[in-house]
Amino acid sequence: MYTAVEIKDYTQLNQMLKGLIEDETDRIANLSNAASLLNQFLDNVNWVGFYLYRKETDELILGPFQGLPACVRIQNGRGVCGTAFKGNDIFIVDDVNEFPGHIACDANSKSEIVIPVYKDGEPIGVLDIDAPVYERFTEEDRAGLAEFVAVLKNHI
């Protein structure tokens, strides 16, 4: 198993993810371990998890996560998660209080990054990461987490 070490860059983190999930085919197990890995090795975050898309209700439903209890249902197109998902675009929000329609699940969250997850053109959901500080996420995070999701989607 992994022990807490300083991650120098996302290449190392993404290699750890590959090793962790390469022989597992269960979606929930792999999403759970991915959330745990990010929560363990990213600094200054207070919530890491996935919302999974339900086509029949056109909403995102809470999936595997690490952190305080969270909002269970998010309508497609609402809040940071729903807006990023609907547009299939990575969102970095430096101050969540400035985002129109932000859904506040945890008052301690100040900034957020959301990465949509699609596999073979089909919607899966989003990876959502919150931080207790403003302006936590950078373009390096955007690129590294996009690659993290690219690795992950091959195993979900």
Side-chain angles (χ1 to χ4, degrees):
M1 284 274 93
Y2 298 104
T3 57
V5 296
E6 181 182 353
I7 297 297
K8 301 294 184 198
D9 60 39
Y10 279 99
T11 302
Q12 184 180 4
L13 184 64
N14 293 335
Q15 284 300 111
M16 291 171 74
L17 176 65
K18 285 179 189 176
L20 188 61
I21 66 174
E22 67 185 346
D23 294 328
E24 181 53 61
T25 59
D26 186 84
R27 174 181 279 184
I28 298 301
N30 286 338
L31 291 172
S32 297
N33 274 331
S36 178
L37 187 67
L38 289 171
N39 190 59
Q40 181 69 35
F41 292 106
L42 292 180
D43 66 335
N44 234 352
V45 299
N46 61 329
W47 199 91
V48 176
F50 295 90
Y51 281 92
L52 303 175
Y53 182 64
R54 292 266 175 87
K55 185 176 182 177
E56 59 275 9
T57 56
D58 194 32
E59 64 187 345
L60 296 164
I61 304 291
L62 182 64
F65 73 94
Q66 300 278 308
L68 292 176
C71 302
V72 175
R73 297 174 185 274
I74 299 173
Q75 287 298 313
N76 191 6
R78 279 201 65 228
V80 179
C81 288
T83 304
F85 180 74
K86 186 171 188 169
N88 191 15
D89 190 19
I90 297 173
F91 275 26
I92 293 176
V93 180
D94 290 334
D95 180 350
V96 295
N97 297 312
E98 298 293 318
F99 189 88
H102 174 252
I103 301 167
C105 297
D106 180 353
N108 292 321
S109 292
K110 306 296 185 210
S111 60
E112 184 171 4
I113 187 169
V114 177
I115 300 91
V117 182
Y118 284 75
K119 182 177 179 179
D120 302 325
E122 293 297 315
I124 303 296
V126 297
L127 167 60
D128 180 25
I129 305 175
D130 295 351
V133 296
Y134 297 106
E135 300 179 5
R136 159 59 181 88
F137 301 101
T138 65
E139 290 303 313
E140 180 183 359
D141 293 310
R142 177 191 300 267
L145 290 167
E147 180 60 29
F148 187 89
V149 165
V151 170
L152 180 62
K153 72 182 180 182
N154 292 324
H155 300 278
I156 57 174

